[in-house]
Amino acid sequence: MNWINNVVRPKIRSFLTTKREVPDNLWVKCPESGQMVFYKDLETNQFVVPGSGYHMRMGARPRLTALFDGGTFDVVPVPVVPQDPLKFRDGRRYTDRLKDAKAKTNLEDAVLIGEGTLDGLFVVSAAQDFDFMGGSLGMAAGESVITGLTRALEKQSPFILFAASGGARMQEGILSLMQMPRTTIAVQRLREAGLPYIVVLTDPTTGGVTASYAMLGDIHLAEPGALICFAGPRVIQQTIREQLPDGFQRSEYLLEHGMIDMVVHRHKMRETLSRICRILMKSGANAKAVDGRSVRNGRLKSAAAVENNAVDIDAVANAEGIFSVVDSADAASDADIRKTAKNEGGDAAST
């Protein structure tokens, strides 16, 4: 009887009285409209609130899944870097913070590199995950961006970057700031090869990331309502002690002031990126010769880059013909301008 009272009855009682645990993220509230959205519906809609169109933050893996054909891509391995070179500790150990971030995002660091096809065109892409310590730029994240740029250079493919970061990672001090020039050099190498580098600025993109590789793209796209800045609006307002305009440092504001090229809805991002990549790669394939140097994507290539890439002789001949016509037209227009100026000067003198 003791066994029945002590074991069986409590088990039966627990089955009848225990409540099912409800996940914390079962419902998500829209920050803009207050609308409650079922998480699965939000995930299916690429984390865009159906009613208000508000763009929620999106992880690195879902971004790459939404970009590549069939949602499949190969993860590009990244060289291992020291985890805690400065043995940093504030309220907690830096290594403990890294463990929590890895468990939360299932990533090794804030940047995930993937390669695959975009409407049949091979591309390499990097996505920053803001859930990993605010997408901060440290040694591992910097190495990931450099690896992605190098991979695109090896494959002669476009490189697409989804930026989402709070800036440099303070726990790595000067070592995190060193990633800014390192990534800038990697971008320059891709540029010298004439390959497209497209940046998608998402909410938020701030600090040292904005001051380096996030603003060095050939084309800059942004999602609606994304905060894009170096120092945040609150810091600026407290410094200058003036009221800032509505929408200051948001993507629409930056588009009006010429800092970015396009604001693209997340549902149209994939087709927009595909179209831009094809246009830039097509223009890059038709290399033109100007003064003995090759031009791709509107940039002059170095001699070494020309030697490593075959140039179509017919394309060069056509290019030379086009430029000779343009030069002739420019010379003729210059002569007309000089003639007009001379006549106007004579008339003024006679008057």
Side-chain angles (χ1 to χ4, degrees), residues 140-288:
E143 197 66 40
S144 297
V145 174
I146 294 170
T147 300
L149 289 163
T150 305
R151 186 73 168 181
L153 186 59
E154 293 173 355
K155 296 290 186 178
Q156 291 292 294
S157 69
F159 184 71
I160 302 172
L161 173 75
F162 293 90
S165 176
R169 190 172 298 175
M170 57 174 257
Q171 289 88 347
E172 297 185 15
I174 190 65
L175 297 175
S176 65
L177 297 178
M178 288 172 60
Q179 308 311 310
M180 297 169 62
R182 293 184 71 234
T183 53
T184 301
I185 292 172
V187 171
Q188 182 61 28
R189 289 175 179 171
L190 193 72
R191 178 166 296 170
E192 290 175 354
L195 296 171
Y197 172 42
I198 304 168
V199 180
V200 181
L201 303 166
T202 70
D203 183 61
T205 303
T206 63
V209 171
T210 307
S212 56
Y213 58 87
M215 284 298 170
L216 296 176
D218 300 313
I219 303 290
H220 289 96
L221 311 181
E223 292 186 336
L227 176 65
I228 305 165
C229 60
F230 180 75
R234 179 176 56 83
V235 176
I236 295 175
Q237 187 164 329
Q238 290 177 352
T239 302
I240 66 175
R241 297 182 180 180
E242 293 182 8
Q243 187 65 33
L244 300 176
D246 294 336
F248 182 70
Q249 293 184 327
R250 296 289 173 175
S251 54
E252 293 80 5
Y253 182 90
L254 299 182
L255 178 65
E256 293 177 1
H257 291 77
M259 190 171 179
I260 60 177
D261 299 301
M262 298 174 65
V263 176
V264 183
H265 194 281
R266 191 174 291 168
H267 292 167
K268 297 182 179 180
M269 186 65 70
R270 186 179 186 276
E271 62 181 78
T272 303
L273 289 172
S274 175
R275 185 167 63 252
I276 292 174
C277 286
R278 290 188 178 279
I279 291 173
L280 294 182
M281 288 301 289
K282 184 177 180 180
S283 63
N286 298 326
K288 302 178 181 66

Side-chain angles (χ1 to χ4, degrees), residues 8 34 36 73 104 133 146 177 200 252:
V8 177
M36 298 298 293
F73 61 92
K104 181 180 180 181
M133 299 188 68
I146 294 170
L177 297 178
V200 181
E252 293 80 5

